[in-house]
Amino acid sequence: MSRTHLPLQALQQAWQQRNPREKKGLALVALLLTLTLLWSLALNPAWRTWQQAPAKQAELDRQTQRMRELQAQAKQLQSAPANTAAQARQWLEASVRDLGTGARIQLQGDRATLSVESAPAESMARWLSQARERAQALPVQAQLQQVLPTQKLPPPATALTTALTSPGAAPADANAVHWRGSVVLRLPATP
């Protein structure tokens, strides 16, 4: 006899020695173990995947939409007429006023350094986006700190009028985020 038949024969002999009640109990335990293995190895992973599919599909749709937006933006930037370094410098010097009185730009070689004292974050974001689109200037370094906006007190009559017409109203800019610091931009190469 081969060695593989010995354990099988021992199991058959042990099975034959059991009474019918024990055989039913052991068969039920074997069935439960088989069903548990089937559930944990085959059905449960598939069930979880099926339940998570809508959320994963929505996330993939969002990523696809974002990639399409970036692709459209890249095509727009590629199709934009190339600016010369002189045109970029001219636009940067003219537009820096949009950031307030504390904004200055220093041009040196293929770099432009924007310095701001208290520029609203929304204005900074808009200006940087326009600098990228119109002057093809790309930020290469930024050192910015969030600061409280500089507040000028209105004349007493205006303050009283404001308090009477809109009690509890704060100035629209009172809670706006402002930035102080500098941003270094790389200008387009001179053709």
Side-chain angles (χ1 to χ4, degrees), residues 12 16 19 60 80 85 97-98 113 115 121 125 127 132 153 158 164:
Q12 286 177 345
Q16 295 300 327
N19 64 36
L60 288 173
R97 288 182 234 120
D98 296 342
T113 304
S115 301
W127 188 88
R132 181 177 172 200
L153 295 174
T158 308
L164 291 175

Side-chain angles (χ1 to χ4, degrees), residues 157-169:
T158 308
L160 181 59
T161 305
T162 303
L164 291 175
T165 57
S166 55

Side-chain angles (χ1 to χ4, degrees), residues 85 89 107-112 138 184-190:
R89 291 170 190 266
L107 303 166
Q108 183 177 359
D110 69 339
R111 304 286 170 146
L138 300 174
V184 178
L185 302 164
R186 187 182 77 230
L187 301 176
T190 306

Side-chain angles (χ1 to χ4, degrees), residues 34-164:
T34 303
L35 289 175
T36 302
L37 282 173
L38 178 67
W39 173 257
S40 64
L41 296 178
L43 298 176
N44 192 27
W47 179 262
R48 269 191 262 129
T49 301
W50 184 69
Q51 285 181 323
Q52 295 170 353
K56 287 185 178 183
Q57 182 63 43
E59 177 63 25
L60 288 173
D61 288 345
R62 282 190 294 275
Q63 288 177 359
T64 301
Q65 181 62 30
R66 179 68 179 138
M67 289 175 65
R68 286 184 179 147
E69 290 170 0
L70 291 173
Q71 181 184 26
Q73 186 179 18
K75 284 182 180 179
Q76 179 185 12
L77 289 172
Q78 287 174 346
S79 67
N83 288 342
T84 64
Q87 290 171 325
R89 291 170 190 266
Q90 189 177 30
W91 184 87
L92 290 170
E93 288 173 341
S95 67
V96 76
R97 288 182 234 120
D98 296 342
L99 297 174
T101 57
R104 296 177 309 281
I105 192 140
Q106 181 181 8
L107 303 166
Q108 183 177 359
D110 69 339
R111 304 286 170 146
T113 304
L114 171 70
S115 301
V116 293
E117 292 299 320
S118 179
E122 188 175 312
S123 297
M124 282 281 293
R126 186 174 36 256
W127 188 88
L128 286 170
S129 176
Q130 289 175 352
R132 181 177 172 200
E133 292 172 10
R134 295 183 182 173
Q136 297 171 344
L138 300 174
V140 292
Q141 180 182 358
Q143 294 178 343
L144 298 170
Q145 292 180 322
Q146 186 176 347
V147 295
L148 294 174
T150 54
Q151 295 178 354
K152 296 179 182 174
L153 295 174
T158 308
L160 181 59
T161 305
T162 303
L164 291 175

